[in-house]
Structure formats: structure tokens, C-alpha cells
Amino acid sequence: MRTVTGPTDHVVVVGAGLSGLAATLHLLGAGREVTLLERERVPGGRAGRLDVAGYRMDTGPTVLTMPELLDEALAAVGQSVHEQLELLPLDPAYRACFADGSTLDVLSDGAAMEQQVRDFAGPVEAAGYRRLRNWLNRLYRTQYASFIDANFDSPLNLVEPNLARLAALGGLGTLHRAIGRFLTDERLRRVFSFQSLYAGVSPHRALAAYAVISYMDTVGGVYFPRGGMRAVPDALARAATGAGAHLRYGSAVRSLERHGGRVTAVHTERGERVPCDAVVLTPDLPVAQRLLGISPRRFPRPRAAPSALLLHTGTDREQPRLAHHTLSFGHAWKRTFDELTRRGTLMSDPSVLITNPTRTDPELAPAGKHLHHVLVPCPNLDLAGHDWPRIADGYVRETIELLQDRLMPGFGPSVEVSRVVTPADWAEQGMIAGSPFSLAHTFTQTGPFRPRNLVRGLDNVVLAGCGTTPGVGVPPVLISGKLAAERIVGGSVAGATLPRTVSLGAGSR
């Protein structure tokens, strides 16, 4: 594994998102001095927050899986998830509501979920689910150490025994076909393949290897931190500060000072000069590239994942048909992905994700009130130049009417406060093509073909975050911080190479 050369005693990490915080903790655990610069007044990055009229809204990711990665980062400085967070297992992980009026609760317990599938679609599908779950377990364990929790220097790094095992498992085929080997019910196929949207690819085109995301959701389990998703970056930042990190909020980075092939200091917009031996850059790729003074070398332009419109609402009405996470599927499926990833049109028959966090933690809203976050996938700005300032209000009204018709009666009149985030807003924050999901996980943007975390031409700069290895999502971003730390430390940092059981429960706040 190639590593940063020269001294690495003092590392500056740019960005206190989840990847920057994970990198900081692993570097501290390896004995480095770390200064963490964050442009906002709070940690979190994409895991943002908005407080309005007593409503405590999370504005970023809402699905938390693989808490052992949090435990791994905290363990680097002698802390644990149990000490820092109260993580509540969600049961069901999701509720899937289909256009034909049927509903399926997705449970993480294998026996319970098998019974759910049997009641929903019959014994043949239940047997197929049991085989699918076994396959997901084997697929995950084949991939994790070799292809997810791994730094790549060359595509040749792929040529190792687990690649043959992955191929034998069918991981190099398409996701849609792989899931179809086990399940024939179209509704069930959707439950175990919609996750490819997180990777920015249709299940009909995504590698079957990306069923690993379905493993994380449907086998590993989904959790919610008491206090909201913001509690996660708060806990990581608290542990980093306690271990000696220098966290500077409100310190947006203006430029990097170079001497030869090394960055020797970071300059902030407040006029600070922070000397360093190495740098970890976690901002979105366009921002990182601007700081580095480079432009993407790929032609054509890297392909971004689809974007999303987010509607954050505080309401005065409970919606009893919802779980914490509810998937509302339309009739269309393949056409939906074609619209999002190829045609560049808004979904003609939308499938959306509704998150109702006050169902699990009522203290996130005033007494008797509720939070409902609605994520509506839409094309990115490279694929479709929609005039979002002009069309957003109308599209939000259409979405509210759609949800009222499907499963949320009276939703519109119940909204007391709301905030809307569109692809144009994501673009203003520096996200490529206005997509919060960064680069799509096409074959040519996966593994060693994704932008690598070592920056060519500079000896001491490493990237972390969703634009580099291993990719998009809370677990990959946490791993990316660890992989960046390993590039600087010169070897593996402390931590498990496979998931382990984590003790969850009430912790110190």
C-alpha cells in the first residue's frame, strides 16, 4: 500500500463531517496531533441539522447501519458507542407500502422476516428469502476486507482470491438478476434492490455486488440515535476533543500553501495559517479540486448519482400508517430508474422515502407534534437542467398530494413549518451536479477506478468522503476516514476487519 511520505506528526483534517471525524479519531489513536477545520459552527457535514420552532430536524442521512464502524473509530481513542450514544434498533427497519395497497414490514431478525415473507407472499417466496439471506451473508463476508475496507493503488489489487469467490457468488452480474434468482414476487425484489439508488445506479444495471447495501439494511439492522442523527457527529467530535484534537469551527479553508510536492500549511478565510505535515481533505470533489488547483482529468465528466428533493416538515398530525422509515412505491419501477439515470425527467410515478423520527424519539418535536422528512429522488443537474427555483414549490405540492392519496391523509394541512432542499441547493454547497450522493457507482467509478484517496503530484495529501474510496453512504464514509488515516500512518489502524456485535443502550450524553 502506498502511503504519505515524509513526516506526519501534525495532520490537518479539513471538514468535520463523518469521514473527517473518523479520520481524526484513527489518527489520534495512532499518535498523531490533529487539527480539524470546519466551516460550520457544528460538526456533521452532510449530516446537518436545522432547528425551527422547537422542531429538531436532521437535514442529511437518516438511515444508520453498521454501528460497529462508529465503535471502531471511538475505540481508537479508548471510547465506545455504549459510552457516547444511545442507539435504538428500529423494528421494522423499513415499512414497504406498494401501489396495490399491500404492506410489508422489513425485519432484521431472520426467522421473523421469513415468517413475514411467508404471510405476505407464500411459502415458496419465504424459502427464497432464506436462501437470499444466506447469499447476502456470504457476499458481504467475501467483499468486506478485500473490496470495501481496502485501499487500492491499482486495478491489479482486485486480482486476489476473493475476486474469484465474488464471481462464483454471482457478484459480477446485475443486481436485478441476482435478486431474481431467489425471489419471484416483484414487490419483494424491490425491497432488496431499491438500495442501488444509494449507489446511483438502476438495479437492472448495478453490479450484484451492491447487494451488500441490502445486507447492511435488511440483515445487519437499522438504528436511530436518541437525539437525532446529529448525535453521531456530536459524539465523535466530543471523543476527538477529549483525546486532544484541536477542533476549530467557523474556519472555512481558503487555500493550501505548497512547497514542492508537499502542502505545508492550510489558510482559512479568517486569516489563520495552520502549519501541517499532512492533510486530509474531506470536502466534496469540486471543492477539494479547487483547493488543490486541479481539474478532473476524466473525459467525459465523471458521472454523478441522481439527486433528491428533500422536504422537511414539522406537523401537528400523527400518520399512523407510517413506521420510522417508510418506502412508498409507485406502480412503475424500471421506468422510474430510466427517468432518474438516463432520461433526466422527474419521476412520472414516484417512489419516495418518508422518515418519521418522532415515532422513535418524540423529544425531537414539541409535545404532541411530529417530524416527517420526505426524500424524492430526481435527476442530477448534469442530466437535467431543471429550473428548481421556479418548479420546486409546484413539485412539493404534487408530492404532498401524492402522499395524501397514498398513505398520509391530511398531510398538507398538518404542516406547521417546512424547509425544502433541491438539487440547486446541493450545488450551491459544492456538491457535484447538485447530488448529495456524489459519484455514481458505475463500474468505471468503483473500487480502484473511483477517484483514489492519494492525490497525484502531492506527497502528503489524502482524500476522504463519499467521492473517493469506498463510496457513498454512512458506513463507506466512516471507512473512508479510516482508510485515509492508514495512508498517513503507513499501515492498518486499530480496529476490526469484520463487523462484530456492539453493545447498545443508554450512554452518557
Side-chain angles (χ1 to χ4, degrees), residues 65-68 93-94 106-109 129 132-144 148 175 179 191-196 198 208-223 475 498-501:
T65 60
M66 294 186 69
E68 58 270 11
Y94 294 99
V106 179
L107 310 178
S108 301
D109 179 80
Y129 165 75
L132 171 63
R133 188 181 178 94
N134 180 57
W135 178 74
L136 289 172
N137 272 289
R138 289 186 291 144
L139 186 76
Y140 183 79
R141 293 189 173 274
T142 297
Q143 288 190 77
Y144 187 81
I148 300 173
L175 178 61
I179 300 299
V191 168
F192 292 98
S193 65
F194 82 90
Q195 296 88 348
S196 70
Y198 299 154
Y210 282 110
V212 69
I213 310 175
S214 181
Y215 168 91
M216 295 174 187
D217 284 358
T218 66
V219 178
V222 178
Y223 298 83
L498 278 175
R500 62 188 187 279
T501 300

Side-chain angles (χ1 to χ4, degrees), residues 145-197:
S146 298
F147 308 118
I148 300 173
D149 189 13
N151 274 308
F152 293 101
D153 292 326
S154 159
L156 294 176
N157 293 145
L158 291 174
V159 184
E160 59 104 79
N162 274 332
L163 181 62
R165 297 187 185 102
L166 182 62
L169 286 169
L172 302 184
T174 66
L175 178 61
H176 177 76
R177 181 170 296 179
I179 300 299
R181 286 164 37 206
F182 304 100
L183 302 169
T184 60
D185 189 295
E186 182 62 28
R187 298 167 300 173
L188 291 174
R189 289 185 181 185
R190 293 188 186 190
V191 168
F192 292 98
S193 65
F194 82 90
Q195 296 88 348
S196 70
L197 183 61

Side-chain angles (χ1 to χ4, degrees), residues 120-464:
F120 180 77
V124 174
E125 294 298 282
Y129 165 75
R130 186 167 59 249
R131 296 194 306 273
L132 171 63
R133 188 181 178 94
N134 180 57
W135 178 74
L136 289 172
N137 272 289
R138 289 186 291 144
L139 186 76
Y140 183 79
R141 293 189 173 274
T142 297
Q143 288 190 77
Y144 187 81
S146 298
F147 308 118
I148 300 173
D149 189 13
N151 274 308
F152 293 101
D153 292 326
S154 159
L156 294 176
N157 293 145
L158 291 174
V159 184
E160 59 104 79
N162 274 332
L163 181 62
R165 297 187 185 102
L166 182 62
L169 286 169
L172 302 184
T174 66
L175 178 61
H176 177 76
R177 181 170 296 179
I179 300 299
R181 286 164 37 206
F182 304 100
L183 302 169
T184 60
D185 189 295
E186 182 62 28
R187 298 167 300 173
L188 291 174
R189 289 185 181 185
R190 293 188 186 190
V191 168
F192 292 98
S193 65
F194 82 90
Q195 296 88 348
S196 70
L197 183 61
Y198 299 154
V201 189
S202 161
H204 295 82
R205 300 170 65 87
L207 287 174
Y210 282 110
V212 69
I213 310 175
S214 181
Y215 168 91
M216 295 174 187
D217 284 358
T218 66
V219 178
V222 178
Y223 298 83
F224 186 72
R226 190 174 297 280
M229 288 292 287
R230 69 181 69 185
V232 173
D234 284 349
L236 299 181
R238 186 166 58 244
T241 300
H246 310 290
L247 270 68
R248 300 186 187 179
Y249 297 112
S251 293
V253 171
R254 185 184 75 240
S255 62
L256 306 177
E257 181 181 321
R258 300 193 207 181
H259 284 87
R262 298 184 71 82
V263 170
T264 55
V266 177
H267 293 262
T268 74
E269 292 182 355
R270 297 198 309 192
E272 303 164 297
R273 179 183 182 273
V274 187
C276 60
D277 296 313
V279 178
V280 177
L281 289 178
T282 73
D284 291 279
L285 281 176
V287 178
Q289 289 163 348
R290 176 181 58 77
L291 289 172
L292 292 167
I294 60 175
S295 59
R297 297 186 178 185
R298 293 177 182 229
F299 185 82
R301 175 179 167 90
R303 180 178 168 186
S307 185
L309 178 142
L310 276 175
L311 171 61
H312 304 290
T313 65
T315 73
D316 63 8
R317 177 169 179 168
E318 184 181 13
Q319 296 292 340
R321 295 180 62 188
L322 299 181
H324 186 110
H325 295 297
T326 302
L327 291 157
S328 175
F329 291 107
H331 288 283
W333 189 237
K334 188 174 186 299
R335 186 180 81 224
T336 295
F337 283 95
D338 285 343
E339 290 166 342
L340 293 173
T341 65
R342 303 180 75 179
R343 300 182 196 173
T345 58
L346 299 177
M347 290 182 291
S348 55
D349 185 12
S351 292
V352 302
L353 171 66
I354 308 111
T355 299
N356 180 200
T358 43
R359 182 167 297 278
T360 303
D361 187 354
E363 293 184 4
L364 297 176
K369 308 294 184 177
H370 310 274
L371 285 174
H372 296 102
H373 305 292
V374 182
L375 185 150
V376 187
C378 57
N380 64 53
L381 296 181
D382 279 352
L383 193 60
H386 294 296
D387 185 355
W388 282 105
R390 182 180 62 82
I391 70 171
D393 287 349
Y395 195 50
V396 167
R397 286 194 297 271
E398 290 177 14
T399 300
I400 290 174
E401 291 171 2
L402 176 84
L403 293 175
Q404 288 182 150
D405 290 342
R406 286 184 181 178
L407 75 165
M408 297 176 67
F411 177 39
S414 74
V415 173
E416 294 188 334
V417 298
S418 66
R419 295 293 186 274
V420 177
V421 185
T422 73
D425 298 314
W426 301 124
E428 285 185 8
Q429 296 179 40
M431 299 181 194
I432 186 168
S435 172
F437 304 110
S438 192
L439 300 182
H441 283 262
T442 59
F443 178 78
T444 57
Q445 294 180 166
T446 294
F449 306 110
R450 201 166 180 83
R452 294 181 199 164
N453 54 7
L454 280 182
V455 177
R456 183 176 300 178
L458 288 171
D459 298 332
N460 65 339
V461 178
V462 187
L463 302 181

